[in-house]
Amino acid sequence: MQHQNMSARGVVVAGAAALAVLAWPGAVTAQGIFGSPTAPPAVQEDSAAAGPKAIPLSEIPLKVDEALARLQTIETQLSVDPDLALIEEDLPEAQRAVSRSHARIGQTVLAQLSIRELGNLTAIWESHESTLRGWADTFGDELRETARVAEVGEGIRDTWRVTSESLAREEDVPEAVVAQVERVLSATRGLESIIRNRLSYLVGVKSELDDGLDGVRHVLGELQAAQVSVRRRVLTRTDVPIWRLGAWSGDASERRTTRIAGAEWEAVQGFVASGPRAFLLSALFFVVIVLILIRIRRRIGTGLDLRDESLRGAADTLDHPISAALLLTILLTSFAWPPAPYVFWQVVSVVAIVPIYRLIPPSANPVINRTVRALLVVFALAAVADLLIPTSIENRLVILLASLLLAGVAGWLIRGADGSEMRQTTWGHVVWRGLQASLAVGVISAVANITGWALLAEILVMGILYSAYIGLGIVIGYRIVAGLIRLLPQTALGRSSRILSEHGDLVTSRAITVTKIAGVALWIWIALGAFEIADPMSRPLAALLTGEVHIGAVTFSLQKALSFAVVILLAIWLARFVTFVLDVEVLPRLKLKRGVSSAISTVVQWSILGAGLLTAASALGLQAGQLAIVFGALSVGIGFGLQNVVSNFVSGLILIFEQPVKVGDKVEITSLSLIGEVRRIGIRASVVRTFDGAEVIVPNSNLISSEVVNWTLSDQRRRTRVEIGVQYGTDPDRVIDLLVSVAREHPEVLRYPEPNVLFMEHGASSLNFRLQFWTANFDDFFRIRSEMTVGVNKALREAGITIPFPQQDVYVKSLPGASPPPGNES
């Protein structure tokens, strides 16, 4: 294997390439940093047309100070960056570390290493790659910034050069002015020298970093290929049967070397050195979580309803705040850590046994309790032995012992358990299946180890132990998070939040569901990695996802289709979530006018959906021209069959921005004979709830094009009428005074406009009056009218005024078969 060490070779070539990529007009030419541009003819013509102009003679004294100040500013910007100085100071040590790694790996046959050893080496080289890439990016950014500064300096130089040439063609130019111009040009030449030196410095270091980075990436590629090769040998015999170990020669042992001297320690050192900021954030996260848990425990205490499983988890969390915070820190912040070697994760796993043990919830089923504790014991023994025993033969014996121990413990637990009883609960069923799987894996691993399939045996036994152990940690971590989520409405923050106080059960249940899904997905991915399946699966899956299908000028792939669907779903979810937060938490606190909150919420919702649609189209790979084709097809569809949809959409925009009808308005749509309250105004349709409780979906165009009576457009006041009839012979003035007094005595009748009574007519059976009054709230007018009717009836009864009912007098002149009235005998 050929290795590449960081050196200064290729500085000139790499520098020229970097300057070509970062080309700016006149960057480096025979005339200096600010030399003439070497642009294409078209660009030169444009530059000539828009070239620098000479400064008028009268303005030169004022412009000189300004130009010198700008040049001084540029020179200050080009001073040595402390970050670059630190990188240059650390670069020799990084070179030595990479050289040591090259020397070590040069003495190793990668194909004979185990997956663990290859993982440690990969972690070392990924640490080198991360460091060099970060440094190279820093120098690249500085190189681009220097190019930008050079452009500014070139503009100043060209302007004053043209000015000097213009002064040379004029007569009677004061010598002081010429001296000032020459002073500026001299400053530009000094800046040119500074930029030339800085570019030489930046290009040299950048080239050296890129050279080393290429070598590191080459080694990483070889390590990746070696890992693929080792995984392909999982289903093949990799060692001699165990009964032949005594005859195994030293040469054979050398071929199965499982440790590289100092590699693991170097991997851990490189890992710690590459991520101090991540570890500092993890430590800060741990301290914050501990303080939060202690504060919650002091505020809430022990007054929790332990009948709720999630609250039992919260109680255990509050009883052990340090253990809970440590486990959460490992689970939630480890993703921010740089790539870690295998041995580091082993140490972290062993350390996590303590908080996991303290947070294990007791179960009513003793088999579950014994299984969990047995898992911790077996995993601890296997992990510690794997850390401390270095040689391949002893390590193989440790794996065999772990397989037998796993099978024996699983068989013992299965023998003492009742399968039907275990399957009655969810966790009991999971533990029962896990014990059966552990027994099978332990037996298969032991047999494979004995017969020489050592790599398969190691992957099986360590995979089942790590997946079960990490699954237990994730379950306990989920229990902690779910308990804290359930506690949130009871905290001061929860009580002050409208969302948690009004929709606490909904929000917490949804959050717990999301946490559960995330935990299951995380465990599946870690379990696949523990069995060395994740990487082999990822490659064909990536090939399947990225495979492209060409349809004309459009290219599709499964990855693009899935990205499109995921972005659309995320946009819908985000729009609903943001709208919910705005409607419940944010907008009610702003005390906006009625209807404005709904308009803001709707605009935000559709803006998010629109942005999501554009992002999804970009993820699908649609270009501007292809989008034009799509919009053209949509326009044809609109012309033929979507006129109503577009009309409703435009009407919805009018309703949102012009607001002739707002949410909460009481409207009467004459074309639909519909009266009710507007509950929601959407982009396509609105919802009107009738006073009988029915919700009617009304297309927005009906609210714009039809006649709509808005009872509450400007205010909530409503005039109400009560019709009254009294007996003939009653004094009308007395009735009017009585009715007005009844209206004035009601506390919810407005004093202005004043209530009034009208004598309407002489009816068939009564004198008819109309009592008219105003109420402040439209929603209360039915109740107030009923109360007023009752009050009028009571007042008339107390005043002795009769309310007549319709009646007719019938006069009978004769009846069939009856004798005629007296005097009509004839």
Side-chain angles (χ1 to χ4, degrees), residues 434-469:
L435 288 174
Q436 292 177 327
S438 299
L439 176 61
V441 168
V443 172
I444 294 173
S445 176
V447 173
N449 196 323
I450 292 172
T451 56
W453 303 64
L455 184 57
L456 175 62
E458 180 180 358
I459 289 177
L460 286 178
V461 70
M462 299 308 292
I464 194 71
L465 285 175
Y466 269 97
S467 59
Y469 172 73

Side-chain angles (χ1 to χ4, degrees), residues 345-363:
W345 288 117
Q346 280 185 308
V347 174
V348 171
S349 301
V350 172
V351 171
I353 292 176
V354 176
I356 289 176
Y357 179 80
R358 291 177 61 85
L359 293 168
I360 292 175
S363 174

Side-chain angles (χ1 to χ4, degrees), residues 20-74:
V21 173
L22 301 171
W24 59 87
V28 178
T29 67
Q31 299 182 20
I33 300 299
F34 299 153
S36 301
T38 57
V43 177
Q44 291 180 355
E45 293 176 3
D46 294 341
S47 300
K53 297 181 180 180
I55 300 174
L57 179 61
S58 59
E59 298 180 7
I60 289 178
L62 298 176
K63 295 291 186 179
V64 166
D65 293 336
E66 179 183 346
L68 292 174
R70 292 185 64 187
L71 292 173
Q72 182 62 38
T73 302
I74 293 174

